[in-house]
Amino acid sequence: MVYHTLRLILIAMLLAIIISALLGIFVLGLTLSAALLLGAVLAPTDPVLAADVQVGPPNERGKSEPRFALTSEVGLNDGMAFPFTWLAILVASQGISATLLWHWTWYYLFFKIAGGLAIGWLCGKLVGYLVFSISEKYRLLKASDGFLAISLALFTYAITESFHAYGFIAVFVAGLTLRHYEKGHEYPQQLHSFTDQMERMLLAVLLIFFGGSLVGGVLAPLTLKMALVSVGFVVLVRPLSAYVSLLGSSTPLKEKLAISFFGIRGMGSIYYMAFAFGEVKFAQQDVLWAVVSATIFISIVLHGLTATPVMERLSGKKNRR
């Protein structure tokens, strides 16, 4: 299963970025930096909107391969897209050059990713030691509620960013490390229940704001070409890229199709784009906002209507008529 995650990150995401950037240049007429940003912000799968296709609580039996692949992809590609967002920022501010590409490769691609992985693992181990080892000796330190999940996320993110590494990657690795620190313990399940409720509350708030932006005119610049690019990314670019990345694996065809189809786009794309616009001014920002917002809207509707029935069918839970 981990092998599939690496394929989705290293092959599918890169293919989606390249194809999206090419569509931006040759179909939408974007500059190189704007096209790179379009590919980077559309690459990550949204961790909140994709909740219905992710794995369930810890120690759950009968975990399906599509759910595991999508969950691990969601957790990692959110951070793995950041180097390409930085590449777009650097190209927009400095132009393209061999020196820039070398600096981007060793610092933004390797150093910051490696730092996020290492710090996330250390934070997860530290919190796991405090929660499961120290608390067994000193009952006053025993964690009793799910707010530890938020504390761990904020603590890990802050520490990681202070070392100039990628906080999103570190938070995912820290959570994964803590989840597996003491297998069979009931507390990770409590954390999962709490974070699941918080995610759904956050989802409701974010969708309200997103709906407000749609009403406020973020789609006003949308043309037929932009709409076709948005539709094409959701129904062709992501599914084909993911399917190609899974070729040669032993995964059944229907599971490959499910993994390929459910590349849900959401608020992560908006965050990356807003971050990039805060660093440097891009040409055609209104076009980027319109295309990305349209893509998110299409994904929310299409994947929202199909996620539950498809996953139930794959799990064998659908009632037979």
Side-chain angles (χ1 to χ4, degrees):
M1 290 187 181
V2 176
Y3 183 54
H4 293 158
T5 303
L6 293 177
R7 283 173 172 241
L8 290 171
I9 297 296
L10 299 178
I11 300 176
M13 192 180 78
L14 288 178
L15 282 176
I17 291 175
I18 293 170
I19 296 172
S20 300
L22 291 175
L23 288 174
I25 293 173
F26 294 108
V27 178
L28 301 180
L30 299 177
T31 62
L32 176 60
S33 59
L36 285 173
L37 182 61
L38 178 65
V41 301
L42 289 180
T45 308
D46 192 86
V48 178
L49 292 174
D52 287 338
V53 298
Q54 296 183 42
V55 296
N59 306 315
E60 180 187 48
R61 295 182 178 180
K63 293 179 181 178
S64 68
E65 191 167 333
R67 287 184 181 275
F68 180 87
L70 290 168
T71 301
S72 52
E73 182 199 9
V74 162
L76 283 174
N77 74 0
D78 233 20
M80 295 297 186
F82 228 133
F84 299 95
T85 303
W86 272 112
L87 179 60
I89 293 170
L90 294 173
V91 171
S93 59
Q94 303 176 28
I96 191 76
S97 67
T99 303
L100 179 143
L101 290 175
W102 167 247
H103 176 67
W104 173 80
T105 301
W106 78 262
Y107 181 68
Y108 290 97
L109 187 60
F110 290 109
F111 170 78
K112 292 171 78 71
I113 288 177
L117 293 172
I119 296 173
W121 181 82
L122 288 172
C123 289
K125 283 291 185 181
L126 174 62
V127 174
Y129 177 73
L130 293 175
V131 171
F132 298 113
S133 299
I134 296 296
S135 63
E136 291 298 322
K137 299 178 181 178
Y138 306 98
R139 293 295 179 179
L140 289 175
L141 298 178
K142 185 177 181 180
S144 59
D145 55 48
F147 281 100
L148 175 67
I150 297 178
S151 302
L152 174 61
L154 296 177
F155 170 75
T156 303
Y157 188 88
I159 292 293
T160 308
E161 290 292 328
S162 68
F163 282 95
H164 305 287
Y166 291 130
F168 284 143
I169 294 177
V171 170
F172 173 75
V173 173
L176 189 65
T177 304
L178 178 62
R179 178 172 177 148
H180 292 279
Y181 188 92
E182 188 74 23
K183 290 186 177 181
H185 199 282
E186 62 180 13
Y187 188 56
Q189 187 165 358
Q190 184 178 349
L191 289 178
H192 179 274
S193 300
F194 176 81
T195 54
D196 184 62
Q197 293 173 12
M198 293 297 294
E199 279 185 355
R200 294 183 185 279
M201 290 174 59
L202 177 62
L203 173 60
V205 174
L206 291 177
L207 288 179
I208 290 173
F209 281 110
F210 180 65
S213 69
L214 296 181
V215 175
V218 71
L219 294 181
L222 193 69
T223 63
L224 179 60
K225 283 185 178 181
M226 297 180 201
L228 290 176
V229 168
S230 296
V231 173
F233 181 86
V234 175
V235 302
L236 290 176
V237 175
R238 154 66 194 198
L240 288 176
S241 299
Y243 186 79
V244 168
S245 72
L246 296 174
L247 289 177
S249 68
S250 58
T251 305
L253 177 61
K254 63 180 181 179
E255 294 187 356
K256 285 182 183 177
L257 294 175
I259 295 171
S260 303
F261 178 69
F262 287 111
I264 303 175
R265 266 53 197 173
M267 303 306 144
S269 299
I270 293 177
Y271 169 80
Y272 282 114
M273 193 157 58
F275 175 85
F277 290 164
E279 293 290 324
V280 65
K281 184 174 177 59
F282 283 80
Q284 303 160 298
Q285 289 188 184
D286 57 338
V287 173
L288 290 172
W289 276 121
V291 173
V292 173
S293 298
T295 304
I296 294 171
F297 177 74
I298 294 167
S299 179
I300 289 174
V301 174
L302 179 61
H303 296 133
L305 292 174
T306 56
T308 300
V310 169
M311 286 300 160
E312 285 183 347
R313 188 175 185 85
L314 288 176
S315 300
K317 295 178 181 179
K318 187 173 182 179
N319 294 326
R320 296 181 179 275
R321 294 183 179 179

